[in-house]
Amino acid sequence: MNIIVCIKQVPDTSEVRINPETNTLIREGVPSIVNPFDMYAIEEGLRIKEMIGGKVTAISMGPPQALEALKEAFSLGVDEVILISDRAFAGSDTLATSYTLSKAIEKIGLFDIILCGKQAIDGDTAQVGPELAEHLGIPFVTSVKKIDEIREGYLRVHRMMEDGYDVIETRPPALLTVVKEINEPRPPSLKRKIQAKNLQVPVWRKEDLDVDEKRLGLKGSPTQVLRIFPPEIKGERKILEGNLEEQIYKLVSELKGLGIL
Amino acid sequence: MIRIKREICTGCEICISSCPYGAIEMVEDRAFITEMCNLCRACLSACPVGAIIETEESRLPTTDSRLMDFSGVWVFAEQRRGKLHDVSLELLGEGRRLANILSTELSAVLIGSNIEKEAKTLIAYGADKVFVADDPSLSDFHDDSYGHILAGLIEKEKPEIILSGATSIGRSFIPKVAARLRTGLTADCTRLGLDGKILHQIRPAFGGNIMAVVICPNRRPQIATVRPRVFKKPIPEKGRKGKVIKVHVPEDISLRTKTLEFVKDLTSTVNISEADVIIAGGRGLGDAKNFRLLEELAEALGGAIGASRAAVDAGWISYPHQIGQTGMTVSPRLYIACGISGAVQHLVGMQSSDIIVAINKDPDAPIFKVATYSIVGDALEVIPLLVKKIKEVRG
Ligand SMILES: Cc1cc2nc3c(=O)[nH]c(=O)nc-3n(C[C@H](O)[C@H](O)[C@H](O)COP(=O)(O)OP(=O)(O)OC[C@H]3O[C@@H](n4cnc5c(N)ncnc54)[C@H](O)[C@@H]3O)c2cc1C
Ligand SMILES: Nc1ncnc2c1ncn2[C@@H]1O[C@H](COP(=O)(O)O)[C@@H](O)[C@H]1O
């Protein structure tokens, strides 16, 4: 099986904050990481390969620094990595990103399974996977928590829903977006980590892809961020006085007063 | 493109920390924008002297006469196994508000099998028109069939705005529809507004640490998914008049996926994305059987059970209950965190809850920073007391 894993390098969002006075982001020293959901996608790709054979290719679209994410994927065991990077791709929203990725995947050619994370933690959109599948004209299943069976021409997965899961059958080539429950990612191997250091990561630029320029980057992005602002701080902090029992009594009466009880 | 006017830049470096992508560097004592730039515009307002500008050449013209052909507000009326999802009714309330401002019609799109009777409900909740695609082949949700029908209808009827719930179903097939129509989609909105005919789609980003206003000025329709429970269900008006339009369901929609069965998660009586009250437990509960205590509290309050990742990883409760960066994002009216330290990865999934109660032994636990009510104490002692008091008050 030829497996392609799409990974994104993201700022560790838990550390991004907004300065309420200037409405600008405070990013001091926020590290870049591989999007956590994509780590599960990488692991699942490796497991499929180990089970039935094949090749795993990790691709990422982003600025030159994104090659760090690809090196991390390599140290985990993927066979090949490709960076898709060009100034013309800057400012891409999910539509332009998925279009560009689809063109890179068409260039790779043969594939059976594409794995994406359920969502990227910077934008949390969960749109790139399904949009990518649509551009490629292949079926997809989102929020996959288990690959039940996979073989040549057959795929059965569990799709997580709010109140349970659907068991779904499809045929490769197909795209899956995965959630955390699907596996437990392995640690990188030391040997591959060392190899990754000196790895020459191929970079595909605009000219390397058969793309319509109007559909790239900012020009090809129908959505725009108009402005950003800090979230409202909800409710004030209330002090509960007295011993434990009194505090609990106070809490319950407050909740009652708020109409929750 | 974002550019720095070198002749204006004073080299104060304020912009550097404003960039979430680390794309600004100092070159010869002046700020310089590197390839890391994502054109997010965060730096524009940071510069005290206005040296950072956005050059417009890369943007499309904003007045495209074809945009005028689009009118009407639509709500995708989600149902599962014949039952309408509450978020669809909530969206009819918001859709009505937008349609009134735009002086246009509000329509609902209902797709499924044996569901035509629900059209009346949608009209009572505010729809002027209901498009119904009712066919046995549509009983299970499939991205292919639902996407094909919705995209086809949109191409024919040209609505200007489409709203859908940010549910498993909405977040799965709406992106497919948006890609097919080559238009924009904004996920997980928590507020909507209008500036003329432009929909302001307000949503959290960066794990809820930042809010962003997103627009789709040059393409139609403008599509947004909205989280459940963001808007209030309107009061239905019995006997309200509306039109039901049957949609032809083609026989040859290629279905590349097949649903074999649905397996209900027995541990969740109420799912956390829609619950008004969530009782969440963490590693501090010590073991799986103490989660029973949470269930008692959840029962007393009519709530659902959530958990931190530590509790899920320990195998005390299943993953669908996990709240946080790699789990679900929730914003109930009341969130009670029991034995949860409040790691940022957990906070980003629940900090927008209306009221947060934290119960933790450690007075310095970070969870207390976001808590409305703080109780420093042993959860195993506090929870039973709380259950008892609630029962007393309820009588
Ligand atoms: C990439 C990534 C993604 C992550 N995603 C998530 C996510 O989605 N959701 C998530 O929750 N975490 C996530 N985490 C993990 C997160 O960093 C924390 O490790 C986790 O939230 C801790 O869970 P906890 O608060 O239950 O456990 P701990 O941090 O161990 O806290 C237990 C708390 O219980 C208190 N306590 C102990 N005994 C008692 C008692 N008897 N009564 C009252 N209080 C008691 C302690 O004082 C302590 O504060 C993620 C981490 C990473 C790296
Ligand atoms: N720039 C990118 N390069 C490669 N994969 C991406 C990129 N952006 C998104 N993805 C993939 O799409 C998934 C969903 O991202 P998003 O739609 O941004 O939430 C991620 O988990 C990745 O697997």
Side-chain angles (χ1 to χ4, degrees), chain A residues 161-177:
Chain A
M161 303 297 288
E162 283 87 352
D163 51 354
Y165 63 90
D166 287 325
V167 182
I168 295 176
E169 239 177 31
T170 189
R171 286 173 66 86
L175 181 145
L176 308 176
T177 78

Side-chain angles (χ1 to χ4, degrees), chain A residues 2-188:
Chain A
N2 286 308
I3 302 147
I4 296 173
V5 186
C6 300
I7 66 173
K8 184 177 189 187
Q9 190 181 45
V10 293
D12 189 347
T13 52
S14 46
E15 304 196 22
V16 176
R17 287 272 175 291
I18 203 160
N19 177 335
E21 267 135 52
T22 57
N23 271 3
T24 54
L25 296 173
I26 306 168
R27 193 199 181 268
E28 245 124 63
V30 175
S32 288
I33 55 172
V34 176
N35 178 39
F37 284 101
D38 302 351
M39 296 297 276
Y40 304 101
I42 295 172
E43 175 65 28
E44 202 57 24
L46 296 174
R47 289 188 185 194
I48 297 171
K49 174 187 159 172
E50 283 159 4
M51 219 161 55
I52 56 176
K55 182 175 140 191
V56 184
T57 307
I59 65 171
S60 185
M61 172 180 132
Q65 279 77 350
L67 69 86
E68 292 304 327
L70 289 166
K71 286 186 171 181
E72 190 168 338
F74 184 85
S75 69
L76 290 164
V78 309
D79 302 291
E80 247 183 73
V81 298
I82 301 161
L83 177 63
I84 300 139
S85 187
D86 194 302
R87 268 223 102 133
F89 304 152
S92 295
D93 69 359
T94 59
L95 187 70
T97 301
S98 54
Y99 170 72
T100 312
L101 288 173
S102 76
K103 288 296 166 181
I105 290 172
E106 279 172 9
K107 184 179 161 103
I108 294 173
L110 271 185
F111 64 88
D112 302 285
I113 300 285
I114 300 173
L115 295 166
C116 288
K118 176 190 163 213
Q119 64 195 50
I121 61 166
D122 52 354
D124 273 341
T125 78
Q127 285 165 202
V128 168
E131 294 191 340
L132 172 57
E134 176 65 18
H135 293 307
L136 291 168
I138 60 171
F140 65 92
V141 186
T142 55
S143 295
V144 171
K145 66 178 196 116
K146 184 175 179 191
I147 295 184
D148 212 18
E149 189 172 343
I150 182 165
R151 54 185 151 82
E152 208 60 55
Y154 184 81
L155 183 61
R156 189 171 66 243
V157 300
H158 294 181
R159 171 176 63 200
M160 193 170 139
M161 303 297 288
E162 283 87 352
D163 51 354
Y165 63 90
D166 287 325
V167 182
I168 295 176
E169 239 177 31
T170 189
R171 286 173 66 86
L175 181 145
L176 308 176
T177 78
V178 305
V179 296
K180 169 184 164 258
E181 198 179 2
I182 197 164
N183 59 42
E184 190 59 54
R186 70 195 64 189

Side-chain angles (χ1 to χ4, degrees), chain B residues 282-283 308-309 322-326 339 341 345-346 360 378-379:
Chain B
R283 181 152 35 211
S308 72
R309 174 167 169 178
Q322 185 184 317
I323 290 162
Q325 193 182 76
T326 43
S341 62
Q345 293 91 347
H346 187 78
N360 195 304
D378 186 339

Side-chain angles (χ1 to χ4, degrees), chain B residues 376-393:
Chain B
V376 178
D378 186 339
L380 305 184
E381 193 185 331
V382 174
I383 298 170
L385 277 173
L386 198 51
V387 173
K388 196 170 135 230
K389 275 278 175 320
I390 291 167
K391 285 189 177 153
E392 272 173 35
V393 168

